[in-house]
């Protein structure tokens, strides 16, 4: 019996469990306050076991953030690939962001923390998020080039429209008990999606002559 594949599978499972637990801890308390001991306790292992996979907290945080943005990028690309028109690509891209963040709210909270405090990125705030920003730049620039979109900076579209999904998820319990909602509730989600599509179309629509 070859035990190497079994050990490898167990090692990968442990590494993924550490990443999952770390994402929750970083989302709840932030990079500065988070401790490897807290992550270890959540997994049910000792701190030295984490150091076997990630040498320090920064390396663990980097792995968490890299996975978040890579997964979000993959979701967006899969949606974009189904369409030909720039507006449909842009709507699909933002749908991908929205559905990803709703399914993974801890990732949304980490991104929101990063927006407020870029210190965990040590001077390079887009080290891992750049792939998402490039997705928007490619789609918006394509729409502008063919005349489907008004001339506008892609990052204006990110700030005015794309970021709304982040607030939709993170603010679900932050607006007072009488305004709380379940971001994953199908009716609530589709209501927000309809508004997201409306805002996206309005943001890029060509200006009417006269």
């Amino acid at each position: 019996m070859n035990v190497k594949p079994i050990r490898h599978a167990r090692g990968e499972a442990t590494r993924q469990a550490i990443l999952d637990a770390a994402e929750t801890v970083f989302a709840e308390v932030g990079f500065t306050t988070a401790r490897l001991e807290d992550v270890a306790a959540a997994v049910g292992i000792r701190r030295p076991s984490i150091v076997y996979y990630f040498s320090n907290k920064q390396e663990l945080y980097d792995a968490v953030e890299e996975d978040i943005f890579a997964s979000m990028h993959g979701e967006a690309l899969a949606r974009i690939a189904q369409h030909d028109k720039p507006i449909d690509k842009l709507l699909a891209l933002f749908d991908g962001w929205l559905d990803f963040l709703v399914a993974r709210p801890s990732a949304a909270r980490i991104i929101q923390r990063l927006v407020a405090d870029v210190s965990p990125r040590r001077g390079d705030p887009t080290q891992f998020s750049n792939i998402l920003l490039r997705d928007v730049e490619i789609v918006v620039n394509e729409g502008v080039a063919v005349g489907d979109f008004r001339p506008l900076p892609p990052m204006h579209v990110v700030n005015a429209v794309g970021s709304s999904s982040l607030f939709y998820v993170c603010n679900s319990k932050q607006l007072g008990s009488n305004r709380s909602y379940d971001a994953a509730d199908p009716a609530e989600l589709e209501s927000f999606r309809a508004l997201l599509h409306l805002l996206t179309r309005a943001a890029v629509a060509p200006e009417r002559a006269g």
Side-chain angles (χ1 to χ4, degrees):
M1 179 180 179
N2 191 344
V3 298
K4 287 185 178 181
I6 296 176
R7 289 177 179 174
H8 177 73
R10 288 176 179 172
E12 284 300 309
T14 300
R15 185 180 187 277
Q16 188 59 53
I18 293 170
L19 285 173
D20 292 342
E23 182 174 312
T24 299
V25 172
F26 287 131
E28 291 177 351
V29 303
F31 173 78
T32 302
T33 304
R35 304 182 309 158
L36 292 182
E37 288 83 357
D38 299 327
V39 177
V43 180
I45 59 179
R46 296 189 304 163
R47 184 182 185 280
S49 297
I50 292 182
V51 178
Y52 175 80
Y53 295 94
F54 305 97
S55 59
N56 52 50
K57 185 171 72 170
Q58 182 69 58
E59 185 176 313
L60 176 56
Y61 178 83
D62 288 353
V64 169
E65 192 179 309
E66 182 178 21
D67 179 69
I68 288 172
F69 287 115
S71 298
M72 201 167 169
H73 167 67
E75 181 70 23
L77 286 189
R79 304 290 184 95
I80 291 172
Q82 301 175 36
H83 301 280
D84 296 318
K85 295 181 179 180
I87 185 58
D88 293 331
K89 290 181 180 180
L90 188 59
L91 292 173
L93 187 156
F94 286 152
D95 276 345
W97 286 13
L98 172 61
D99 291 332
F100 175 87
L101 295 172
V102 167
R104 200 164 159 180
S106 56
R109 290 194 294 273
I110 286 177
I111 296 173
Q112 189 176 53
R113 286 183 177 277
L114 181 61
V115 171
D117 178 14
V118 299
S119 58
R121 286 277 45 84
R122 299 165 293 172
D124 186 5
T126 65
Q127 180 179 356
F128 298 120
S129 62
N130 189 58
I131 53 175
L132 295 187
L133 302 179
R134 285 293 300 140
D135 290 341
V136 178
E137 287 173 333
I138 291 171
V139 174
V140 171
N141 288 338
E142 177 188 350
V144 172
V146 300
D148 288 356
F149 297 171
R150 72 177 74 192
L152 78 172
M155 293 306 99
H156 284 192
V157 181
V158 171
N159 289 328
V161 184
S163 61
S164 63
S165 294
L166 188 65
F167 291 102
Y168 169 73
V169 174
C170 293
N171 281 347
S172 62
K173 301 293 185 295
Q174 305 298 322
L175 302 174
S177 58
N178 61 323
R179 302 185 189 93
S180 295
Y181 56 89
D182 178 4
D185 176 76
E188 194 82 46
L189 176 58
E190 291 315 305
S191 175
F192 179 81
R193 192 189 308 279
L195 178 58
L196 177 64
H197 284 201
L198 181 66
L199 294 174
T200 302
R201 291 181 183 278
V204 301
E207 297 180 358
R208 294 180 180 178

